[in-house]
Every structure is written in structure tokens, then in C-alpha cells.
Amino acid sequence: NAGVMQNPRHLVRRRGQEARLRCSPMKGHSHVYWYRQLPEEGLKFMVYLQKENIIDESGMPKERFSAEFPKEGPSILRIQQVVRGDSAAYFCASSLIDRSGTYEQYFGPGTRLTVT
Amino acid sequence: QQQVKQSPQSLIVQKGGISIINCAYENTAFDYFPWYQQFPGKGPALLIAIRPDVSEKKEGRFTISFNKSAKQFSLHIMDSQPGDSATYFCAARDDKIIFGKGTRLHILP
């Protein structure tokens, strides 16, 4: 059973360009979470999605950032007009929710975004 | 507002010693407290987790101690090994996971 997959692993963008980060959840998982990790910091929640629905985007910056999880295909985190402050590691996690309502989140290897 | 406070920031322990990392939380709605281990260039991996109705949980060399009244919990790594050198994050969950800032652990050979 393949784990959570993210690509690309490393992404370099110039200021003003767009960054697209992809996440394929574990097989059978229909819940996806995106986190951002700045150097020497913990992970900060950004957004929680189920297929075709955004459940909680309270951690997403109001501008330039968007996320989707379509019926088919990976989840996409999109950053428009990137700035140097967007440089970070972006992690995706996936989970399923069992009947008791509990779940474990499994993390992907991350995408390291560098804005030059 | 930092909802989960973790200390120390970094820790050096001799091989065979006990590594102790502490966390404190504010929100009494948290219902699940996981610890994650992260190696450089990798994503966090769940190490061990506890619920607030339990005061201690042990898995191999890893033990979580939980003090609900003090709103504190800690990770103990017994017989620490060089392979345990990593960054450890405590976390707490209500409807989403809130992470501490991490402890960089280095075990001396």
C-alpha cells in the first residue's frame, strides 16, 4: 500500500510565478490536509478537504492561496504570484475516518518550495 | 496564540540515556495527543499517541505521560539510541491537529 505521495519534491519559482503542489492520498483515504512548515518551526494547518469539498480553510491565507480535491486525481495546492515569504516545506496528509470518528493522519514527504 | 507549547527546543542525550520532551496545551477541547518524529527531508511520522482519559501509554522504548489537570504531557525515550536523533513534535487535536514547534534531539554515540 503506497503512502501519501507528493510532487514535485522540490520546486523553484521566481517571484510572481504560480506554484502548483500535488498530493495523492493513501489508497482508500478520502480526507486530505495541507500544512506549511517554515524552517525551525512546527507544521501549521492550512486546509482540510474531502473529495470536491473544502471542509476547513481557516489556516489558508486569504489571498493567492487555493486548494482543491477533485473527484478524480490528486489534491492541488495552488499559490499564485509567489513571494519570498512563501518559501517553505508544504506537507500533505491523508486520513480515513472510522466508525468511531477517530482517525490517523499519514504525511507525505513534502514539497520544498523556494521562491527566488 | 500558541496553543501547544513544547520544550526544550533542542536536546542532547548520551546513548543509553533517557530523553524527555515536554508539552503544555491550553484548549480543553483537545481529545487526542499524538507525537510525531521527523527526519531531515522527510514528512512527520506518527510515533505514539494518547487520549486524555489515560495517564500513561507505553510502546517499546517510548512512553507518553499525561497530566490532564495540569494540561501537560511528555514523551520519554528510554535507552536512547543514535537512530533516535530526529525532530520530535507534540500535537493536539480537536477538529484539526495543532503542532508544537518541535524539539531537535541528538543522541551522542
Side-chain angles (χ1 to χ4, degrees), chain A residues 10-11 15 19-20 27 42-43 59 74 81 85-86 91 105 108-109 116:
Chain A
H10 300 274
L11 182 61
R15 277 182 299 169
R20 281 187 175 233
K27 189 176 180 181
L43 281 76
Q81 299 174 327
D86 297 333
F91 289 95
Q105 292 188 21
T116 62

Side-chain angles (χ1 to χ4, degrees), chain A residues 9 33 35 37 40-45 48 56 58-59 91 101-110 112, chain B residues 9 32 34 36 38 40-46 49 51 89 93-102 104:
Chain A
R9 295 293 310 277
Y33 313 80
Y35 294 84
Q37 185 177 33
E40 309 300 320
E41 293 278 326
L43 281 76
K44 293 273 183 356
F45 168 80
Y48 164 32
D56 181 349
S58 58
F91 289 95
T102 59
Y103 58 92
E104 301 293 351
Q105 292 188 21
Y106 296 88
F107 283 81
R112 275 142 190 89
Chain B
Q9 239 180 332
Y32 177 71
Y36 289 85
Q38 186 179 28
K42 305 288 185 185
L46 179 66
R51 296 192 181 280
F89 294 96
R93 188 193 76 189
D94 47 15
D95 56 349
K96 53 182 169 284
I97 294 181
I98 310 295
F99 284 82
K101 289 196 171 186
R104 188 172 289 183

Side-chain angles (χ1 to χ4, degrees), chain B:
Chain B
Q1 181 190 3
Q2 190 183 343
Q3 294 194 56
V4 179
K5 294 183 180 179
Q6 183 172 349
S7 62
Q9 239 180 332
S10 62
L11 182 61
I12 299 174
V13 175
Q14 289 282 352
K15 179 183 174 182
I18 303 173
S19 304
I20 302 174
I21 303 170
N22 300 298
C23 283
Y25 64 97
E26 299 286 329
N27 186 352
T28 55
F30 290 140
D31 64 355
Y32 177 71
F33 299 87
W35 285 86
Y36 289 85
Q37 180 187 56
Q38 186 179 28
F39 293 104
K42 305 288 185 185
L46 179 66
L47 190 63
I48 186 173
I50 197 168
R51 296 192 181 280
D53 53 349
V54 176
S55 60
E56 185 176 281
K57 183 173 181 181
K58 184 175 181 180
E59 289 183 1
R61 296 184 294 109
F62 300 91
T63 300
I64 300 177
S65 297
F66 190 86
N67 186 330
K68 189 174 180 178
S69 60
K71 292 190 282 186
Q72 295 175 345
F73 58 111
S74 60
L75 176 70
H76 290 62
I77 306 174
M78 312 300 286
D79 188 26
S80 299
Q81 299 297 311
D84 297 330
S85 297
T87 300
Y88 292 80
F89 294 96
C90 63
R93 188 193 76 189
D94 47 15
D95 56 349
K96 53 182 169 284
I97 294 181
I98 310 295
F99 284 82
K101 289 196 171 186
T103 296
R104 188 172 289 183
L105 174 65
H106 182 63
I107 307 300
L108 297 172

Side-chain angles (χ1 to χ4, degrees), chain A residues 34-76:
Chain A
W34 285 93
Y35 294 84
R36 177 164 62 178
Q37 185 177 33
L38 295 169
E40 309 300 320
E41 293 278 326
L43 281 76
K44 293 273 183 356
F45 168 80
M46 298 181 75
V47 62
Y48 164 32
L49 309 107
Q50 293 179 21
K51 290 276 187 182
E52 301 184 283
N53 279 308
I54 296 174
I55 306 302
D56 181 349
E57 56 181 350
S58 58
M60 287 275 273
K62 295 285 184 263
E63 297 176 349
R64 303 187 297 108
F65 284 72
S66 62
E68 62 176 12
F69 189 16
K71 189 175 180 181
E72 302 290 337
S75 175
I76 307 284

